[in-house]
């Protein structure tokens, strides 16, 4: 696949360190859940980003967290509208398997991106979304999801409407949708732990799909 140059339509700050980049649509299309490779300042610096918009939307969106010592995101953060970005794709198999079955989507941070693409493409999905972040201000897209699915936010570092905690604690106790398939996206630690809990609770490996973003988290 050859890299394409796509113009930036909009670059929006979503929270202290998360950003939404809306790019012009490429000449190819994608399936909800797929990703693109993005080239940084140097050609050898390539990183993957889930596509956060649906193929029927009028832009190709990505959501990224700025990692100050990273190779690519400090380059992305300085880009402005009308500038261009090198993108390759689409890749990936974190696509929807069975639209008819209830979906349990667990995301940490920017791992919510593919879920946004799913719901924008298939508003009728029977979706339960668990979004784990550090602070309330990191609950970007809350307005988009609330009321359109069962939306369960979690903040690990502050109280949220009287409750706080982690996705994995909730998974141990909550009522799981009957016959659900689980999609896990973001920090590898969450994915690993969530899969173990879901297995114990009766969701087998073949009904669990994973998209790990990173293994050793940068934190601040
Ligand atoms: C399949 C796939 C899809 C991905 N999709 C997205 C996406 O949609 N949005 C997104 O923000 N990232 C996504 N990532 C991660 C992304 O590819 C980069 O690794 C990330 O943006 C950091 O790039 P960087 O070059 O600035 O830092 P790097 O030099 O790659 O990383 C520096 C350090 O930060 C850690 N790190 C990377 N990402 C995070 C994070 N989000 N939170 C905490 N620590 C982190 C790394 O493990 C590493 O230790 C995805 C990764 C994969 C494998």
């Amino acid at each position: 696949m050859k890299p394409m140059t796509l113009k930036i339509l909009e670059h929006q700050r979503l929270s202290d360190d998360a950003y939404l980049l809306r790019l012009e649509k490429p000449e190819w299309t994608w399936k909800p859940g797929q990703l693109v490779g993005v080239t940084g300042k140097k050609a050898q610096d390539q990183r993957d980003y889930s596509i956060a918009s649906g193929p029927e939307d009028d832009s190709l969106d990505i959501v990224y967290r700025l990692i100050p010592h990273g190779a690519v995101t400090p380059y992305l953060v300085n880009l402005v509208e009308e500038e261009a970005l090198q993108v390759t794709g689409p890749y990936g198999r974190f696509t929807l398997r069975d639209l008819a079955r209830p979906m349990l989507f667990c995301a940490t941070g920017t791992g919510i991106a593919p879920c946004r693409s799913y719901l924008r493409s298939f508003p009728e999905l029977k979706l339960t979304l668990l979004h784990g972040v550090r602070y309330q201000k990191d609950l970007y897209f809350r307005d988009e999801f609330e009321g359109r699915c069962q939306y369960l936010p979690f903040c690990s570092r502050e109280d949220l409407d009287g409750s706080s905690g982690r996705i994995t604690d909730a998974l141990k106790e909550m009522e799981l949708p009957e016959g659900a398939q689980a999609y896990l996206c973001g920090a590898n630690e969450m994915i690993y732990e969530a899969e173990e809990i879901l297995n114990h609770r009766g969701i087998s490996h073949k009904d669990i799909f994973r998209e790990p973003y990173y293994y050793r988290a940068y934190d601040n």
Side-chain angles (χ1 to χ4, degrees), residues 47-50 63 65 70-73 110 213-214 216 218:
R47 297 287 183 273
D48 293 329
Y49 294 93
S50 302
V63 184
R65 178 179 176 196
V72 169
T73 53
T110 53
Y213 280 3
Y214 53 88
R216 235 175 318 117
Y218 152 82

Side-chain angles (χ1 to χ4, degrees), residues 127-209:
L127 170 68
T128 301
L129 168 62
L130 288 77
H131 190 199
V133 295
R134 289 166 297 162
Y135 303 102
Q136 283 198 59
K137 60 186 178 203
D138 301 320
L139 290 167
Y140 30 86
F141 305 134
R142 185 176 189 163
D143 291 352
E144 275 194 42
F145 285 104
E146 241 168 10
R148 299 181 64 193
C149 67
Q150 190 188 4
Y151 173 79
L152 305 172
F154 296 88
C155 296
S156 58
R157 302 214 188 146
E158 74 178 336
D159 265 18
L160 177 65
D161 308 330
S163 73
S164 63
R166 309 177 81 85
I167 290 178
T168 41
D169 293 329
L171 284 179
K172 289 178 190 157
E173 293 171 1
M174 65 182 275
E175 195 177 323
L176 298 175
E178 182 83 30
Q181 291 186 312
Y183 292 69
L184 313 174
C185 187
N188 192 55
E189 294 87 342
M190 180 279 287
I191 293 178
Y192 183 78
E193 210 182 313
E195 179 157 14
E196 208 166 85
I197 295 164
L198 292 172
N199 272 169
H200 274 110
R201 299 211 51 201
I203 301 187
S204 72
H205 287 295
K206 72 172 176 42
D207 283 325
I208 300 178
F209 311 102

Side-chain angles (χ1 to χ4, degrees), residues 5-204:
T5 302
L6 299 180
K7 197 167 72 179
I8 295 167
L9 304 176
E10 193 184 345
H11 197 174
Q12 190 192 333
R13 192 170 188 167
L14 298 172
S15 70
D16 283 351
D17 57 5
Y19 296 80
L20 170 70
L21 262 175
R22 289 185 57 239
L23 307 174
E24 67 176 320
K25 283 177 87 169
E27 59 199 26
W28 38 260
T29 187
W30 64 90
K31 292 184 187 152
Q34 285 196 297
L35 52 102
V36 286
V38 168
T39 308
K41 195 169 184 177
K42 297 186 198 137
Q44 70 266 27
D45 291 337
Q46 292 239 7
R47 297 287 183 273
D48 293 329
Y49 294 93
S50 302
I51 302 173
S53 50
E56 303 302 324
D57 283 325
D58 51 15
S59 56
L60 185 156
D61 299 353
I62 62 171
V63 184
Y64 68 91
R65 178 179 176 196
L66 172 64
I67 308 293
H69 61 281
V72 169
T73 53
Y75 162 75
L76 296 182
V77 82
N78 287 313
L79 294 172
V80 297
E81 283 163 31
E82 298 291 321
E83 282 191 297
L85 193 59
Q86 287 252 309
V87 168
T88 319
Y91 311 102
R93 298 202 203 162
F94 194 57
T95 50
L96 286 168
R97 304 308 202 279
D98 189 341
L99 282 167
R101 286 174 66 178
M103 169 190 276
L104 185 68
F105 194 105
C106 302
T108 56
T110 53
I112 199 171
C115 191
R116 183 173 184 255
S117 180
Y118 296 153
L119 199 62
R120 291 175 79 89
S121 310
F122 302 106
E124 71 282 9
L125 271 182
K126 293 180 221 104
L127 170 68
T128 301
L129 168 62
L130 288 77
H131 190 199
V133 295
R134 289 166 297 162
Y135 303 102
Q136 283 198 59
K137 60 186 178 203
D138 301 320
L139 290 167
Y140 30 86
F141 305 134
R142 185 176 189 163
D143 291 352
E144 275 194 42
F145 285 104
E146 241 168 10
R148 299 181 64 193
C149 67
Q150 190 188 4
Y151 173 79
L152 305 172
F154 296 88
C155 296
S156 58
R157 302 214 188 146
E158 74 178 336
D159 265 18
L160 177 65
D161 308 330
S163 73
S164 63
R166 309 177 81 85
I167 290 178
T168 41
D169 293 329
L171 284 179
K172 289 178 190 157
E173 293 171 1
M174 65 182 275
E175 195 177 323
L176 298 175
E178 182 83 30
Q181 291 186 312
Y183 292 69
L184 313 174
C185 187
N188 192 55
E189 294 87 342
M190 180 279 287
I191 293 178
Y192 183 78
E193 210 182 313
E195 179 157 14
E196 208 166 85
I197 295 164
L198 292 172
N199 272 169
H200 274 110
R201 299 211 51 201
I203 301 187
S204 72

